[in-house]
Amino acid sequence: MSTSLSQAKIAFVGAGSMAEAIIRGLIETKVAQPQNLYVMNRSDQSRLAFLRSEYGVQATSDILTKDTFLREADVVVLCMKPKDVVSAFAELQPQLNERQLLVSVIAGLSIAKAESLLQTHMPIVRTMPNTSSTIGLGATGMSFSSKVNDTFKQLATQMFEAVGIVTIVEEEKLEIVTGVSGSGPAYVYYFMEAMIKAAIEGGLTEEDARQLTLQTVLGAAHMVQHTQENPAELRRKVTSPNGATQASIEALDRFQFSEAILQAVFSSAERAKEMGEQIAAPSPIAKSS
Ligand SMILES: NC(=O)c1ccc[n+]([C@@H]2O[C@H](COP(=O)([O-])OP(=O)(O)OC[C@H]3O[C@@H](n4cnc5c(N)ncnc54)[C@H](OP(=O)(O)O)[C@@H]3O)[C@@H](O)[C@H]2O)c1
């Protein structure tokens, strides 16, 4: 196979938002060439037409063309929902070979389960990206099966660095990564929703409330990045004794803000684990028969 990402043929199985985010990143950063990117789905033709015209990739739902794409690919990226894994894998399995690299973005699907469903020992990279990948500011957690060599590790890392940052962790830690960065954008949106609501209740226009909230979140994130200080230290610096910010932090503490975030992170991690366990789990009917 080609060992450089710019030459590699990459087949995306699933043509949804995560596949598009990675494709856009690869093309915009010029780390891959559009003609080497293949995208496939089951039925949504308008989606395929959009991806073809927007990115110049090859896209199909035709079974024979899909088989050709899969056989030709150096890297196969699994981008379907967990509920579609079993049927998709049954179609995929005969076309894959152990010289290819398999990359999964499927929440909760363990490497062992992917190996068992596909009856393969091909190298597998399991990832947990997030939606900010769409604008190149993603945060991806990544783990490798024992079969992934250094070249493939580098290739997979480069692929996801095209859409943001990559953190390599042991596989069992990908659930907590899901809780932190996978679901994390939603916590920040929820926080912003609440800030905007409070600003409007306090008398600001919707536009002003939105602008001030957005700039505050952007500014705070950049402060952490630029100063390299701990958020706790930055918070201490803006919280004068007996001042307005101290009053607001005390209000957050009364409502157990910190505990709520902790619970959010762990609930997401737990649910990701459950979803993974449900993939290909025997149905209640199958169990009783
Ligand atoms: N979005 C996120 O923030 C995020 C973050 C981390 C991980 N993920 C993971 O990324 C995966 C994809 O999420 P998404 O948001 O991109 O989903 P999505 O927008 O719903 O896209 C799923 C795609 O899979 C296709 N598909 C379903 N069954 C298929 C099959 N048998 N063969 C080929 N294509 C098939 C669907 O098209 P047809 O229906 O036409 O086949 C669709 O194009 C999920 O497993 C999710 O856990 C997503």
Side-chain angles (χ1 to χ4, degrees):
M1 76 145 262
S2 174
T3 50
S4 103
L5 199 50
S6 61
Q7 298 302 317
K9 292 189 165 69
I10 307 173
F12 292 85
V13 186
S17 46
M18 194 40 72
E20 184 182 357
I22 303 168
I23 289 167
R24 181 189 294 132
L26 291 173
I27 292 174
E28 279 181 359
T29 55
K30 298 193 170 37
V31 298
Q33 308 190 37
Q35 68 271 22
N36 288 342
L37 303 184
Y38 306 145
V39 196
M40 54 202 88
N41 66 7
R42 279 170 309 189
S43 54
D44 188 343
Q45 297 303 322
S46 61
R47 179 75 184 152
L48 297 177
F50 166 79
L51 294 171
R52 256 185 239 113
S53 75
E54 187 74 14
Y55 303 105
V57 296
Q58 307 196 52
T60 192
S61 59
D62 171 71
I63 290 176
L64 293 178
T65 316
K66 283 202 264 193
D67 288 353
T68 310
F69 282 179
L70 287 167
R71 277 196 305 272
E72 282 184 6
D74 300 305
V75 182
V76 175
V77 190
L78 305 170
C79 294
M80 72 290 299
K81 293 280 192 200
K83 70 177 174 55
D84 294 319
V85 161
V86 172
S87 59
F89 280 23
E91 278 173 42
L92 276 174
Q93 200 264 339
Q95 315 306 333
L96 300 176
N97 67 69
E98 296 187 1
R99 289 185 311 280
Q100 296 170 313
L101 174 67
L102 200 62
V103 176
S104 166
V105 304
I106 301 161
L109 178 70
S110 68
I111 291 172
K113 188 165 275 185
E115 285 175 341
S116 131
L117 287 171
L118 290 167
Q119 294 165 42
T120 184
H121 291 294
M122 64 195 293
I124 299 181
V125 179
R126 179 177 165 194
T127 70
M128 172 44 60
N130 71 10
T131 44
S132 309
S133 304
T134 312
I135 53 160
L137 290 175
T140 300
M142 184 178 281
S143 307
F144 306 114
S145 75
S146 59
K147 299 283 187 297
V148 183
N149 63 24
D150 286 346
T151 307
F152 274 148
K153 284 182 185 171
Q154 208 182 344
L155 193 136
T157 308
Q158 205 189 348
M159 221 174 128
F160 285 85
E161 280 178 348
V163 291
I165 64 143
V166 173
T167 300
I168 294 163
V169 295
E170 290 137 11
E171 190 185 4
E172 63 270 22
K173 302 211 172 116
L174 278 179
E175 264 109 37
I176 196 72
V177 169
T178 308
V180 175
S181 51
S183 304
Y187 318 151
V188 180
Y189 300 144
Y190 202 16
F191 173 81
M192 291 174 78
E193 271 177 72
M195 283 269 273
I196 292 170
K197 187 164 175 266
I200 293 169
E201 275 184 27
L204 294 179
T205 65
E206 195 173 336
E207 181 55 20
D208 288 346
R210 194 185 138 86
Q211 287 298 333
L212 289 168
T213 301
L214 172 60
Q215 185 67 5
T216 302
V217 171
L218 271 176
H222 279 289
M223 279 293 283
V224 176
Q225 191 175 47
H226 286 298
T227 64
Q228 296 283 309
E229 289 190 67
N230 280 329
E233 182 57 20
L234 288 168
R235 176 165 65 87
R236 196 190 56 73
K237 285 184 180 168
V238 296
T239 312
S240 323
N242 249 341
T245 308
Q246 185 177 338
S248 65
I249 298 289
E250 282 171 5
L252 287 172
D253 284 344
R254 276 199 303 281
F255 287 91
Q256 298 184 312
F257 179 76
S258 208
E259 178 63 20
I261 300 295
L262 190 128
Q263 289 301 329
V265 170
F266 282 100
S267 301
S268 163
E270 210 169 293
R271 181 68 192 125
K273 190 160 190 255
E274 264 172 26
M275 288 193 309
E277 284 164 0
Q278 280 163 7
I279 297 174
S283 69
I285 294 169
K287 259 188 209 159
S288 60
S289 63

